[in-house]
Amino acid sequence: MPALEICNMKKTILKRAGKCFLYLVMAVLAVTIVLGICTKATGKVFGAAVMWVLTDSMEDTIPARSYILVTSVEPKDIQVGDIITFYSRDHAISGSLNSHRVIEVIGDHEEFRTKGDHTPMAGTDTVKVSDIVAGHLRDLPVLTCL
C-alpha cells in the first residue's frame, strides 16, 4: 500500500475518533446541564437531593465537608440504625439541618432519638416527624474531592 494511502487512512481514523470523542463530551455536557437545571428548579434530581455535610458528627461514616444523597422518607419506614436529615432543635444549632443516626424510635414513629456516629452521647432533644427532611441514601465521595 502506498504511503499516501496509509497517511490518508490514519487521518480518516483520527477524524472519526475525534468526532466520537466530541460527541461523547457533548452528551456528558448535555446531561450535566439538564441535571443542573433540574436541581436548581426543584432541589432534586430523580427524587433525590444532594446535601453538604458540614461537621464531623458522623465521622467515620460520613466525612465532614462531604456530600450525601438524600431522599424523602416516610416516618413509619424509619428504623433504628437509619440516618435521617432533620431540622435541629438543639439550642446550639437550632433550625439548622443535621444528619444523624436513629438510635430510638419513640411511640408509633412519632419521634426519634438520634446520635452522631462520632458524638460520644446522644442529644437530649428528640426529632419530631415535622422536623424530618429526608433519609440518607448514600455518600457521594466523588464530589468530596472537588
Side-chain angles (χ1 to χ4, degrees), residues 128-139:
K128 303 196 182 325
V129 169
S130 60
D131 294 331
I132 297 172
V133 174
H136 178 267
L137 279 177
R138 63 171 298 155
D139 299 345

Side-chain angles (χ1 to χ4, degrees), residues 37-52:
I37 290 169
C38 289
T39 302
K40 289 283 186 195
T42 66
K44 295 182 177 181
V45 177
F46 305 120
V50 176
M51 299 187 83
W52 191 55

Side-chain angles (χ1 to χ4, degrees), residues 105-116:
V105 176
I106 301 168
D108 188 23
H109 290 82
E110 296 153 8
E111 293 182 63
F112 304 89
R113 186 166 316 284
T114 64
K115 176 186 168 302

Side-chain angles (χ1 to χ4, degrees), residues 89-144:
R89 292 179 183 258
D90 181 329
H91 298 295
I93 58 170
S94 183
S96 297
L97 286 176
N98 203 356
S99 293
H100 278 173
R101 189 173 305 279
V102 174
I103 59 169
E104 181 184 1
V105 176
I106 301 168
D108 188 23
H109 290 82
E110 296 153 8
E111 293 182 63
F112 304 89
R113 186 166 316 284
T114 64
K115 176 186 168 302
D117 289 355
H118 190 68
T119 310
M121 296 175 54
T124 56
D125 299 315
T126 59
V127 177
K128 303 196 182 325
V129 169
S130 60
D131 294 331
I132 297 172
V133 174
H136 178 267
L137 279 177
R138 63 171 298 155
D139 299 345
L140 296 172
V142 172
L143 295 179
T144 301

